[in-house]
């Protein structure tokens, strides 16, 4: 198959259409399928991953074109596959990163399986409190309980556990019904007010020899308030940082962060701590908001509304702002306000059952946290498309995505041809780079987002979580 042949007729046009992108621009995208057997699975994971990166790259190229010729986009399967497991490729002064904690795993129950998530200390404490046992007795207790009972008991205690469901069971579940009725990308124009003076835009600058790079445009850089955690949201804002945006991540000092996780997604950004319940910190946040172009949030629906930070309130205070929201379970339905992670969404929606290993007689998992990574690139694409639309149609914008809806999309894509295993000849090294910064020497995956003029790497390495001043750079 020629390298520029569209590798999957459905996934890329579907994703681009969900973003409201002009279908004629798809001709600007070409593909490099030099490696095979990447992200092997029963579901079309590579097809979906490729599509998410392709539309993100195309949305970036469309935005920097500013109405002119759109730069060519090339999607490399090797870069995509490597980036979708970036947290596994990371090395910190040669050390492998910490991944899942011992209590974050599948467990047999009296009638099936349940998966727990206890990477954070407070989630581990809630799980053990819900079961009323020490860590070494969890397996025995769970074996005598029904999976759904575990799910409800642990959630009520503030923990995270999800019963294994088939696709049919999820389709009949009230939350599955709600998610199926939502668009892959919710796009909404909040008002028609012209934006106030904006920090700047991303642009393509030609250097000597015809080389291209993203340069600061007149007036400064786009300013992004990043209120996201874990993976999907930080992947989106990490991508915006690659493209030249000034991204400031804001976290509460009362919520813990996993250091290795932050290192993987912190490239190009700065990180600060603000307690929005404290008057002085709230004043600082409001001053940042007054000059922000984008606000990206990863909290459960309604969580920020109580602080006066609903999309409509943000648009009222900062006309022309683009608000991007991300959550686990969708924007409606009985589970909309629940916490969730990629691994748990896989279990609930039928993905873990579809990836089941018959020989081992246990649920399986995707070869990457593809819901997180894929949703992250889609979220970045939705933001970029909103900025492009504002050039001709002023007004504040809201975009919203969820891991559960991305899972629903993946499950509906035409089945992939089973590869039988990863390509033993695949070498990720061309897609890895080393940088040195505040966290030491980091080996990490390059961004798979690429178009003519796109930077090859971030301008800054990942920094120490919460160590930066709460201010814009320029």
């Amino acid at each position: 198959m020629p390298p520029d042949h569209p590798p999957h007729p459905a996934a890329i046009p579907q994703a681009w259409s969900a973003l409201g992108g002009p279908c004629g621009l798809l001709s600007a995208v070409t593909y490099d399928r030099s490696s095979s057997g990447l992200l092997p699975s029963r579901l079309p994971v590579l097809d979906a991953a490729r599509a998410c990166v392709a539309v993100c790259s195309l949305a970036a190229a469309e935005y920097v074109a500013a109405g002119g010729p759109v730069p060519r986009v090339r999607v490399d399967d090797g870069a995509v596959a490597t980036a979708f497991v970036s947290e596994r490729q990371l090395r910190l002064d040669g050390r492998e990163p910490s991944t899942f904690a011992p209590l974050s795993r599948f467990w047999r129950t009296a009638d099936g399986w349940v998966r727990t998530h206890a990477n954070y200390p407070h989630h581990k404490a809630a799980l053990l409190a819900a079961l009323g046992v020490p860590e070494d007795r969890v397996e025995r207790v769970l074996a005598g309980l029904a999976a759904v009972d575990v799910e409800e008991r642990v959630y009520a205690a503030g923990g995270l556990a999800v019963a294994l469901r088939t696709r049919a069971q999820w389709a009949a579940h009230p939350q599955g019904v709600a998610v199926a009725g939502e668009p892959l990308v919710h796009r909404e124009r909040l008002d028609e007010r012209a934006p106030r003076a904006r920090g700047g835009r991303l642009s393509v600058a030609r250097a000597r020899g015809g080389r291209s790079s993203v340069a600061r445009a007149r007036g400064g850089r786009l300013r992004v308030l990043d209120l996201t955690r874990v993976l999907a949201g930080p992947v989106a804002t990490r991508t915006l940082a690659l493209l030249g945006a000034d991204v400031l991540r804001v976290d509460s000092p009362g919520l813990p962060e996993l250091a290795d996780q932050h290192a993987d997604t912190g490239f190009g950004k700065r990180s600060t701590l603000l307690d929005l319940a404290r008057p002085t910190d709230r004043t600082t946040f409001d001053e940042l908001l007054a000059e922000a172009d984008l606000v990206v949030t990863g909290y459960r629906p309604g969580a920020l509304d109580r602080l006066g930070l609903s999309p409509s309130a943000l648009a009222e205070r900062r006309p022309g702002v683009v608000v991007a929201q991300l959550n686990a379970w969708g924007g409606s339905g009985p589970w909309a306000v629940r916490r969730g992670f990629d691994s748990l969404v896989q279990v609930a929606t039928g993905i873990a059952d579809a990836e089941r290993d018959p020989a081992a007689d246990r649920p399986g998992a995707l070869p990457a946290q593809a819901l997180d990574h894929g949703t992250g690139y889609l979220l970045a694409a939705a933001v970029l498309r909103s900025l492009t639309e504002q050039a001709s149609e002023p007004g504040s914008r809201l975009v919203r995505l969820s891991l559960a809806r991305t899972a629903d999309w993946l499950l509906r894509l035409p089945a992939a041809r089973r590869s039988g295993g990863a390509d033993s000849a695949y070498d990720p090294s061309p897609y890895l780079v080393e940088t040195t910064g505040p966290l030491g020497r980091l080996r990490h995956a390059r961004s798979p987002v690429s178009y003519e003029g796109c930077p090859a790497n971030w301008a800054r390495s990942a920094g120490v979580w919460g160590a930066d001043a709460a201010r814009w750079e320029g």
Side-chain angles (χ1 to χ4, degrees):
M1 180 180 293
D4 61 346
H5 183 79
H8 197 291
I12 294 171
Q14 284 180 11
W16 188 239
S17 176
L19 293 162
C23 61
L25 291 188
L26 289 174
S27 61
V29 185
T30 56
Y31 307 90
D32 186 346
R33 300 188 67 190
S34 56
S35 299
S36 62
L38 303 176
L39 302 179
S41 60
R42 291 175 171 80
L43 295 172
V45 175
L46 181 59
D47 294 337
R50 185 191 296 118
C52 294
V53 170
V55 298
C56 185
S57 300
L58 185 56
E62 178 193 26
Y63 177 64
V64 301
V70 174
R72 301 293 299 177
V73 169
R74 191 166 191 86
V75 181
D76 186 325
D77 278 3
V80 171
T82 304
F84 266 60
V85 291
S86 63
E87 65 277 9
R88 301 180 203 168
Q89 295 290 353
L90 183 70
R91 296 294 181 272
L92 302 95
D93 288 328
R95 175 181 65 81
E96 291 190 15
S98 301
T99 52
F100 285 99
L103 290 181
S104 296
R105 48 164 280 199
F106 282 109
W107 307 85
R108 282 191 181 274
T109 64
D111 60 351
W113 293 86
V114 70
R115 180 152 190 167
T116 55
H117 194 287
N119 286 1
Y120 288 101
H122 59 297
H123 290 156
K124 175 182 177 180
L127 171 65
L128 296 177
L131 300 178
V133 295
E135 187 171 345
D136 60 359
R137 294 191 58 198
V138 168
E139 185 169 18
R140 180 182 302 176
V141 169
L142 290 178
L145 298 173
V148 172
D149 290 344
V150 174
E151 179 180 89
E152 294 302 322
R153 181 188 297 189
V154 173
Y155 171 73
L160 293 155
V162 172
L164 179 73
R165 290 174 172 84
T166 65
R167 292 176 62 176
Q169 289 171 331
W170 177 246
H173 190 279
Q175 191 59 37
V177 173
V179 168
E182 296 179 356
L184 176 60
V185 180
H186 173 92
R187 303 164 59 246
E188 182 178 345
R189 190 176 177 185
L190 297 173
D191 56 46
E192 298 181 3
R193 301 167 66 188
R196 287 156 55 183
R198 176 164 280 165
R201 65 180 294 115
L202 311 178
S203 64
V204 177
R206 301 290 177 181
R208 291 182 180 179
R211 298 181 62 188
S212 305
S213 64
V214 170
R216 286 182 58 167
R218 185 181 305 169
R221 301 156 64 190
L222 284 168
R223 291 168 172 168
V224 182
L225 276 177
D226 177 6
L227 281 68
T228 68
R229 293 170 58 79
V230 192
L231 199 52
V235 164
T237 53
R238 181 181 68 184
T239 302
L240 296 173
L242 173 81
L243 302 176
D246 182 8
V247 179
L248 180 63
R249 176 168 163 174
V250 179
D251 284 284
S252 167
L255 291 176
E257 176 60 304
L258 304 178
D260 291 356
Q261 182 174 272
H262 176 70
D264 176 52
T265 58
F267 291 97
K269 311 179 195 178
R270 292 174 299 117
S271 168
T272 195
L273 301 178
L274 294 175
D275 182 353
L276 299 188
R278 291 183 56 193
T280 54
D281 282 7
R282 179 56 189 262
T283 298
T284 299
F285 179 83
D286 289 343
E287 291 171 350
L288 291 167
L289 175 62
E291 298 182 358
D293 302 305
L294 312 172
V295 179
V296 186
T297 74
Y299 291 85
R300 290 170 291 162
L304 293 178
D305 295 12
R306 295 188 292 271
L307 296 172
L309 299 175
S310 67
S312 59
L314 291 170
E316 180 66 27
R317 297 169 61 188
R318 179 51 163 150
V321 72
V322 175
V323 180
Q325 295 183 327
L326 169 78
N327 62 72
W329 299 109
S332 61
W335 282 19
V337 297
R338 290 196 176 192
R339 300 175 183 86
F341 294 96
D342 182 305
S343 59
L344 301 181
V345 176
Q346 288 188 39
V347 173
T349 58
I351 289 176
D353 181 70
E355 294 292 333
R356 180 185 293 271
D357 181 356
D361 188 30
R362 62 181 294 113
L366 298 179
Q369 294 188 69
L371 305 181
D372 265 330
H373 285 275
T375 306
Y377 290 112
L378 287 176
L379 189 68
V383 165
L384 292 163
R385 288 243 61 253
S386 294
L387 294 172
T388 295
E389 290 174 341
Q390 284 183 329
S392 57
E393 298 181 356
S396 306
R397 298 296 202 278
L398 168 66
V399 297
R400 183 187 302 121
L401 292 89
S402 72
L403 302 186
R405 186 59 182 85
T406 302
D408 184 81
W409 175 59
L410 171 62
L411 286 163
R412 293 174 187 271
L413 287 176
R417 190 186 316 175
R418 182 68 172 167
S419 65
D423 186 347
S424 59
Y426 167 63
D427 177 12
S429 59
Y431 310 107
L432 301 174
V433 65
E434 282 197 357
T435 59
T436 301
L439 300 180
R441 188 181 77 258
L442 303 183
R443 188 198 79 175
H444 61 92
R446 296 181 183 273
S447 174
V449 173
S450 178
Y451 58 85
E452 184 183 8
C454 184
N457 199 8
W458 287 271
R460 70 197 315 152
S461 185
V464 176
W465 180 67
D468 296 297
R471 60 175 176 80
W472 298 115
E473 284 198 321

